[in-house]
Amino acid sequence: MNLKNVRNIGIFAHIDAWKTTMSERILFYSWKIHKIWETHDGEWTMDWMEQEQERWITITSAATQTTWKEYTLNVIDTPGHVDFTVEVERSLRVLDGWVAVFDGAMWVEPQSETVWRQADKYQVPRICFINKMDKMWWDFKMSLWTIHERLSKSAYAIQLPIWAESDLSWVIDIIERKAYKFEWNMWSEVVEIDVPADLVDEMEEYRNTLMEWLSEEDEEFMEKYLWWEEISVADIKKALRTAVLTWEFFPVMCGSALQNVWVQLVLDAIWYYLPSPLDTWDIQWTDPNDEEKVLTRKNDVNEKLSALAFKVATDPFIWKLTYTRVYSWKLEAWSYVLNATSWKKERIWRLVKMHSNSREDVDFLEAWDIWAVIWLKDTRTWDTLCDEKSPIVLESMTFPEPVIRIVVEPKSKWDQDRMWTALWKLKDEDPTLQVYTDEETGQTILAWMWELHLDIIVDRLKREFKVEANIWTPQVAYRESIQKKIEKAEYKYKKQSWWRWQFGHVIMNVEPWEPWTWFEFVNSVVWWRIPKEYIWPVEKWVKEALTQWVVAWYPVEDVKVELLDWSYHEVDSSELAFKLAASMCFKDACRIAKPSLLEPIMAVEITTPEEYMWDIMWDISSKRWNVKEMTDRWMAKIIRAEVPLSEMFWYATQIRSISSWRAAFAMEFSHYETAPANIVAEVKKARWIEE
C-alpha cells in the first residue's frame, strides 16, 4: 500500500450534531454501503449496539475502511456524548486527522470544546464541518464566530452556503472562486456553475480575510501578496495544507449530511488537507531496558514491527477483540510477537478488518492499518506489540481518576458467581472503569467517570452477561481519632471463666499521634517484670480495638499507645486475660480522650469557561469547600479546592446543570480532617448510635 494515499481519520461532534449521519453519508458516497440508513429510523451502520440504537447516541467508537478516488480512508466514528469523552481521547491517540462536525443552528457545544482541547493536546490536524445547514434558524456566520471565540482564532471558511429556490444544494468554493451544484439521484453528481452575482462581494471578502491570514503566517506568501504578484489556487492550497499539518489553520466547510449535500467535497478536503502517515511525526518509543531512553523510529514499512493495542472489546462469540494500530512493518497471522509492556510472548491467531461490528479475516495488517486481533491472551489497552529482537514500548495514555463511585451487589448467588467475571471483562474494555472490594465494608465498588457511563455498564451486565444486580451510593470511609492525651490509664481484668480465674492487669498512656502514622505501640515495661509471651497479645488486641471505635464504630488512626506497667498472676494469668485487659483499657482511655470523627477530604480541580466561574463558586460555597487557588489554562478557568467526600456524590450532575454541560472536574484523595458536630450527629443517626 502506498502510504501517501492513506488517511486515518476520526469524526467527532457534540451529541445531536448528526455526526453518525455524516459517517453514514461518507460510507455511501464512497461506495462502502449501498443504502443510506437513517439514524432517526433506528437503522445505521456505525452505531450497532442495542443501547446506541435505543438512545440514539454513539457509545463506543466504531471503525471501518473505505476508498475515495485514489486513496484509502480508515474511519473511526466516535461518541458525541460528553460521558464518553475518554473513548474519543484514545481514538485521538492513534489517528492522524479529524473532522469536527458542528450544529449550524447552535453555538459550539461542550463536547466539542472538550474534544478540541484533547486534539490540541495530541496536536491533531482538523477540518471543521458546519452541519445542519438545512435546519430552521441556521446561521453560518454565527457558527463560524463561535468557533473563533471558543476553539481557535485560526479557523477560516473555505466554503459559503447558497440557498437557491428553497434548495440547499449549492456551495461556493472561496479559494477557487467557483460554485458547485449537486444534482441527480441523492445529489450524487457535482456540477460546476458560476458564482451568483449577488454573492461575489461576500465571497471576495471571505477570500481576502483568508489571504491576509496566510500572508501573516507565511513569509513567501506575504511577499507575493504585498507585491500584487499572481498567486495561483495551487499556491494557496499548498500554503493552507502546510498550515493544517502544523495545527495552525483549520478549514471550515458547511453542508447538510441529512440532505446528502456537500459530503463529496468534504471527502476531497480530507484527501487534500489532512495528513497521510508519511506527513506525521516519527514514532516515539521507550527502550524497555532503559525507561529514560526515548528514541524515534521512522514511519516506514521496512522498519521493525511496532503496533499499539488501543482498545479491547468483549465479544460473546470470539472472546475478545483487541483493536490495534500498526505503525511499522506488518502484523501477520499465525506469527509470534512480543508484548513489550508485559514482556510476554503472544501468538497472533486471527486478524480481522472491521466494518462496525462486521469482521473480515485477513492474513496480515500492514503499516498504518487500524484493525483488530482476535484471542490475544495477555494484551491490555496501551500494550505495545513488537518484534522480540527489537523491543520497544510506545507511548501510552493516562486517564483521570473516576469521580463517581457506586456499590454493586448481585441479587442472587447465581448472579454473584457471574458478576466478577463480567466486571473484569468490562474493565478490560474500559480503562477508566475501576472495580474493587472495599476492605472495610466488604462492598464491591464500581468507580467510573459519569452517570450515563454507569447506566450503560449496568445495562450491559444485564443484557450481555445475564447478571442482575442492585446499585446504591457507597459508604463514606470515615475514620476516628482522639484529641487529648490520657496518662496512666489502667484496667484490671479479673473474672472466673469456666473452672478457672482469669487475671490480667495493664497500665498505659494513650495520646494522639502524627498524621498518616495510623498506630504506634511502645513497650516501656522492663523485661523482667512480665513474661515475654504476654507482650505480643497486648499489642495485637490494642490494634484489634482500633477497628471498633467509640464515636460511630469506624477504624481509628494516628494514635500512640505506650505500655507503662502491668502485673500478672503465676496461675490465673493467660494470653486471653491480657488481650481483654489491653483492649478494655485502651477503649476506656479513648472515651475520655475527646474522641473525634474524621472525614475524607478530596483535592478537586474544576475546569470551566469564565462565564460560569462565579456561578460555580456560589454553588460550592454551600458545600463546605475550601478554595485553594484559581488560575487560567488556555481559554478556561481552573478552580482548585479541598472538599469532604460526602459532598461530592453526584456532583457531576450538579456541575453540568450549572454550566450547561461545559464544566468538568477531577478529584483525588488528599487527607482526613475532623468532621463538624452536625456531620457527626448525622453519621451516628445513620448507624443507629444514640447520643
Side-chain angles (χ1 to χ4, degrees):
M1 181 186 295
N2 185 353
L3 293 184
K4 289 184 178 179
N5 294 332
V6 175
R7 299 292 183 274
N8 292 319
I9 68 152
I11 301 175
F12 76 82
H14 189 276
I15 190 171
D16 201 34
W18 294 350
K19 164 189 56 60
T20 301
T21 301
M22 180 71 176
S23 302
E24 297 288 327
R25 297 315 188 262
I26 287 176
L27 296 180
F28 176 77
Y29 285 110
S30 60
W31 296 96
K32 181 67 178 182
I33 59 177
H34 303 288
K35 178 181 178 181
I36 291 181
W37 300 101
E38 298 296 355
T39 58
H40 55 270
D41 292 333
E43 297 179 325
W44 39 56
T45 304
M46 302 301 279
D47 287 352
W48 56 271
M49 293 176 63
E50 290 181 9
Q51 293 89 343
E52 292 177 318
Q53 296 182 2
E54 289 173 355
R55 292 169 171 81
W56 289 12
I57 60 172
T58 303
I59 294 170
T60 184
S61 298
T64 189
Q65 185 183 81
T66 187
T67 57
W68 176 250
K69 297 181 178 177
E70 69 269 26
Y71 75 92
T72 300
L73 187 63
N74 294 320
V75 182
I76 294 183
D77 181 35
T78 62
H81 200 288
V82 70
D83 280 18
F84 305 101
T85 300
V86 172
E87 184 76 7
V88 183
E89 185 166 356
R90 63 176 169 183
S91 298
L92 276 165
R93 168 65 179 83
V94 297
L95 293 172
D96 305 326
W98 282 79
V99 177
V101 181
F102 302 94
D103 188 331
M106 300 289 291
W107 292 49
V108 170
E109 296 175 279
Q111 172 68 356
S112 300
E113 287 184 272
T114 301
V115 180
W116 193 275
R117 289 195 296 265
Q118 291 170 331
D120 285 340
K121 174 182 175 182
Y122 294 102
Q123 297 180 323
V124 181
R126 276 144 279 170
I127 289 174
C128 302
F129 180 76
I130 299 177
N131 197 11
K132 294 189 175 183
M133 299 304 293
D134 60 322
K135 187 177 178 182
M136 188 177 293
W137 310 117
W138 69 271
D139 190 332
F140 177 77
K141 292 182 179 179
M142 179 272 291
S143 296
L144 183 61
W145 178 80
T146 58
I147 291 173
H148 273 229
E149 288 298 307
R150 293 187 175 181
L151 303 181
S152 174
K153 300 292 185 184
S154 299
Y156 289 92
I158 62 171
Q159 289 181 347
L160 288 177
I162 304 175
W163 276 86
E165 299 175 356
S166 301
D167 184 7
L168 186 69
S169 60
W170 296 19
V171 63
I172 295 175
D173 186 318
I174 294 171
I175 299 172
E176 297 192 9
R177 292 189 173 107
K178 294 178 180 178
Y180 296 96
K181 185 177 182 180
F182 296 80
E183 295 182 342
W184 301 103
N185 185 34
M186 303 303 292
W187 312 114
S188 58
E189 182 160 342
V190 183
V191 179
E192 183 180 325
I193 60 174
D194 293 331
V195 177
D198 59 332
L199 293 175
V200 170
D201 289 343
E202 184 178 3
M203 177 192 71
E204 289 300 327
E205 181 182 347
Y206 275 93
R207 196 174 194 275
N208 289 335
T209 301
L210 187 61
M211 299 288 280
E212 288 172 6
W213 182 88
L214 276 174
S215 66
E216 292 174 2
E217 299 295 324
D218 188 314
E219 291 185 7
E220 183 179 343
F221 198 92
M222 179 191 292
E223 207 170 307
K224 290 183 178 180
Y225 184 71
L226 292 178
W227 288 98
W228 298 89
E229 293 184 24
E230 183 66 28
I231 302 176
S232 67
V233 169
D235 288 338
I236 298 173
K237 286 189 172 183
K238 182 180 178 181
L240 287 179
R241 185 172 196 271
T242 300
V244 171
L245 296 183
T246 53
W247 327 290
E248 295 174 354
F249 176 71
F250 307 101
V252 179
M253 308 177 73
C254 56
S256 171
L258 183 65
Q259 298 300 327
N260 313 309
V261 294
W262 311 347
V263 176
Q264 299 96 317
L265 300 185
V266 174
L267 285 166
D268 285 338
I270 290 171
W271 172 78
Y272 191 83
Y273 292 110
L274 293 183
S276 74
L278 298 179
D279 296 316
T280 59
W281 287 353
D282 290 341
I283 310 162
Q284 287 194 334
W285 58 279
T286 304
D287 188 338
N289 300 313
D290 184 0
E291 293 184 358
E292 296 183 357
K293 189 176 182 181
V294 179
L295 304 171
T296 59
R297 174 174 288 181
K298 290 183 178 180
N299 305 323
D300 193 334
V301 293
N302 297 316
E303 288 277 2
K304 296 288 186 180
L305 171 66
S306 59
L308 183 67
F310 67 94
K311 179 179 176 178
V312 175
T314 300
D315 190 292
F317 302 106
I318 56 173
W319 185 34
K320 69 176 182 180
L321 291 163
T322 304
Y323 285 80
T324 304
R325 171 153 187 177
V326 181
Y327 284 94
S328 57
W329 189 235
K330 60 184 176 180
L331 198 59
E332 298 179 296
W334 305 103
S335 65
Y336 283 96
V337 297
L338 175 67
N339 182 330
T341 308
S342 63
W343 211 252
K344 294 181 179 179
K345 267 191 174 183
E346 286 275 23
R347 180 70 181 269
I348 306 298
W349 295 100
R350 284 179 63 190
L351 298 170
V352 290
K353 287 190 174 183
M354 301 298 298
H355 175 53
S356 188
N357 64 327
S358 302
R359 299 178 292 272
E360 175 191 346
D361 282 88
V362 294
D363 294 328
F364 58 87
L365 302 183
E366 295 184 278
W368 301 96
D369 271 339
I370 304 178
W371 298 127
V373 187
I374 297 178
W375 301 330
L376 286 181
K377 183 179 179 182
D378 296 307
T379 299
R380 303 289 180 265
T381 303
W382 302 127
D383 285 358
T384 300
L385 303 177
C386 61
D387 189 321
E388 59 183 316
K389 295 180 181 179
S390 180
I392 70 172
V393 176
L394 298 175
E395 181 185 5
S396 63
M397 290 176 61
T398 57
F399 296 106
E401 283 293 308
V403 296
I404 299 175
R405 288 168 171 78
I406 57 99
V407 175
V408 58
E409 182 180 81
K411 289 185 177 181
S412 67
K413 174 64 176 175
W414 187 84
D415 290 318
Q416 183 176 7
D417 295 338
R418 301 170 63 90
M419 186 182 74
W420 274 100
T421 301
L423 289 177
W424 283 107
K425 286 183 178 180
L426 291 172
K427 187 176 183 298
D428 269 350
E429 285 191 26
D430 190 343
T432 65
L433 175 65
Q434 293 184 4
V435 183
Y436 62 93
T437 300
D438 191 304
E439 294 180 358
E440 297 174 18
T441 65
Q443 297 173 321
T444 300
I445 306 295
L446 290 187
W448 79 106
M449 299 304 296
W450 304 107
E451 286 87 343
L452 183 58
H453 194 178
L454 164 71
D455 185 34
I456 299 300
I457 289 170
V458 174
D459 189 58
R460 291 188 63 190
L461 276 176
K462 182 177 180 179
R463 293 196 191 191
E464 294 179 29
F465 301 99
K466 312 303 179 185
V467 175
E468 296 285 346
N470 296 317
I471 61 171
W472 56 76
T473 303
Q475 300 175 13
V476 176
Y478 290 103
R479 295 288 189 273
E480 298 183 23
S481 191
I482 58 175
Q483 302 178 48
K484 177 183 175 182
K485 180 178 180 179
I486 302 299
E487 296 184 343
K488 295 184 178 180
E490 182 177 2
Y491 193 90
K492 187 178 290 185
Y493 182 81
K494 187 176 181 181
K495 188 175 182 181
Q496 187 173 9
S497 175
W498 296 96
W499 63 87
R500 59 171 292 181
W501 282 88
Q502 297 284 351
F503 179 84
H505 175 220
V506 296
I507 302 173
M508 63 179 65
N509 289 343
V510 180
E511 61 182 301
W513 203 231
E514 298 174 2
W516 302 99
T517 55
W518 180 55
F519 171 72
E520 182 167 339
F521 181 84
V522 178
N523 177 25
S524 298
V525 181
V526 293
W527 63 271
W528 48 266
R529 291 287 305 271
I530 195 168
K532 292 182 180 179
E533 62 266 23
Y534 294 151
I535 297 176
W536 175 78
V538 169
E539 181 178 356
K540 178 186 176 184
W541 273 71
V542 170
K543 287 183 179 179
E544 193 75 24
L546 298 177
T547 64
Q548 298 177 350
W549 206 229
V550 296
V551 178
W553 297 98
Y554 284 102
V556 70
E557 60 181 32
D558 305 338
V559 171
K560 177 182 178 181
V561 174
E562 181 182 9
L563 187 60
L564 299 175
D565 202 359
W566 51 14
S567 62
Y568 76 104
H569 190 278
E570 291 184 358
V571 177
D572 295 337
S573 291
S574 65
E575 182 178 309
L576 176 61
F578 273 99
K579 285 179 178 179
L580 294 172
S583 176
M584 297 304 294
C585 182
F586 178 69
K587 288 183 177 180
D588 287 348
C590 291
R591 287 190 180 97
I592 59 175
K594 289 188 177 181
S596 60
L597 185 71
L598 305 178
E599 60 180 346
I601 304 298
M602 312 302 289
V604 181
E605 181 179 285
I606 296 175
T607 304
T608 176
E610 184 175 3
E611 58 262 41
Y612 298 104
M613 183 179 69
W614 295 112
D615 291 333
I616 291 173
M617 290 291 292
W618 178 264
D619 178 66
I620 65 180
S621 65
S622 64
K623 298 181 182 294
R624 300 192 291 134
W625 288 56
N626 179 17
V627 177
K628 295 292 186 180
E629 182 184 24
M630 289 189 289
T631 59
D632 296 332
R633 182 187 296 164
W634 297 307
M635 299 175 69
K637 294 292 183 180
I638 306 298
I639 302 171
R640 294 186 178 93
E642 292 179 349
V643 59
L645 176 61
S646 60
E647 300 286 348
M648 294 304 295
F649 291 128
W650 310 112
Y651 183 65
T653 302
Q654 299 173 39
I655 195 172
R656 285 176 168 182
S657 176
I658 295 168
S659 64
S660 300
W661 289 54
R662 294 182 62 198
F665 77 98
M667 70 177 181
E668 62 182 4
F669 174 75
S670 175
H671 62 281
Y672 278 93
E673 281 185 6
T674 302
N678 63 313
I679 299 298
V680 175
E682 290 176 9
V683 172
K684 283 186 173 182
K685 183 178 180 181
R687 293 173 74 88
W688 300 84
I689 297 173
E690 295 183 1
E691 293 287 346

